Amino acid sequence: MTDFLRSDFLPALPPPPSREQSWREKLFGDARAAAITLSLLVAAALLLPPVVRYLFIDAVWRAPDGALCRAPGAGACWAYVAAKAPFFFYGAYPYPWRVNLTFALAGVLIVWLLHPRGRAKGYALAGFFLGLPVAGFVLLYGAPALGLPVVGTNLWGGALVSLIMALAGIAAALPGGVLLALGRRSDLPALRWLCVGIIEFVRGAPLIAVLFMANVLLPLFLPPDWAPDRLLRPLFGIALFASAYMAEVVRGGLAAVPRGQDEAAQALGLSRVKTLRLIVLPQALGAVIPGIVNNFVALFKDTTLVAIVGLFDFLHAIEIARLDPVWAGPQIALTGYIFAAAFYLGFCLAMSAYARRLEKKLAAARR
């Protein structure tokens, strides 16, 4: 028996395929794969050269006005984007450095939270959800006692408004969705039906309707002195809308956790709160990462709808900038929309890339 288990008696296993062989198998493994690969290569050969020529080779990079961009054969007018960049990103906000500092703080906290080797995540979590809103309000709105002049929200615009809406919605969506999902599964009938009503009512209405209700109806339920700012009304609507959709994603994750996990935690003497925090929620949220990121991506793109209730967001800033007669022209306007598409695509791809990396880490940990 011992001789039989020796490696001399075991059948030889084929060597693992090299990376070159695996890619060759994926691209040209059979007739169908080869046909798809060749079709995509032909499409790329036909489409990429004119796109590269328009965006880079024939593009106008420097110009005092739109005259060069209106010339025959001119490509993308990146000089227009450079000239209008402050308007795109800040609107009429008079102190760009305060905006830059606010989003620099947000970026540091986000990297600290999402970095796999980051330490003291509790401080980062408190800083993002508690410290950042206070610091951001002081920096952006102003505090005369600290030497920061007050800037009304009627001057806020461009990417400043879009990123504030997206950050606030994302920050409220996950905890709000978890609370609504747990409330929907509660044993208390009043709490359960309240959460069910909120989720179904908000999910049954389009985001435009929710924004209009938040903008028009919310001041009616509050005293005149407590009427929320024009920026806070759609922000509340976006947070509520994102939380309702996130609640269903989280509920699916909670349903995927085996009941034995909860029972084992109870047998070990863990309280209900510790069971949710340490056992159930990590597994539930890890199982629905694609759905969570999909909601975040959709929410980031849906921030363009706030222009309907009078806010001056990034896409609306590009719409207004193209009306400048100095920079009027079809190629110039098209360049602005290309820049807007790249702006949204960059953020969405970054979120998707991080989600895929996190999925791989969780899958490796489970194995």
Side-chain angles (χ1 to χ4, degrees), residues 142-160:
L146 300 177
L148 299 174
V150 174
V151 180
T153 55
N154 59 316
L155 298 178
W156 299 18
L160 165 62

Side-chain angles (χ1 to χ4, degrees), residues 14-51:
S18 63
R19 180 169 296 182
E20 292 77 8
Q21 290 176 338
S22 62
W23 279 110
R24 193 180 301 115
E25 289 292 329
K26 292 177 182 178
L27 296 177
F28 301 100
D30 52 23
R32 184 182 65 177
I36 294 175
T37 301
L38 291 176
S39 300
L40 292 177
L41 289 176
V42 171
L46 293 176
L47 296 177
L48 284 181
V51 171

Side-chain angles (χ1 to χ4, degrees), residues 11 40 70 95 112 119 215 242 307 322:
L40 292 177
R70 290 189 289 267
Y95 305 106
W112 189 3
R119 297 181 179 180
N215 193 55
R322 72 181 182 87

Side-chain angles (χ1 to χ4, degrees), residues 80-104:
Y80 160 72
V81 175
K84 296 292 184 180
F87 183 71
F88 290 162
F89 288 106
Y90 310 113
Y93 196 90
Y95 305 106
W97 69 269
R98 287 159 61 170
V99 179
N100 296 338
L101 181 58
T102 301
F103 288 113

Side-chain angles (χ1 to χ4, degrees), residues 314-337:
F314 179 71
L315 190 59
H316 192 48
I318 290 179
E319 283 280 343
I320 297 298
R322 72 181 182 87
L323 302 178
D324 186 354
V326 177
W327 293 98
Q331 304 295 337
I332 300 174
L334 179 60
T335 305
Y337 291 121

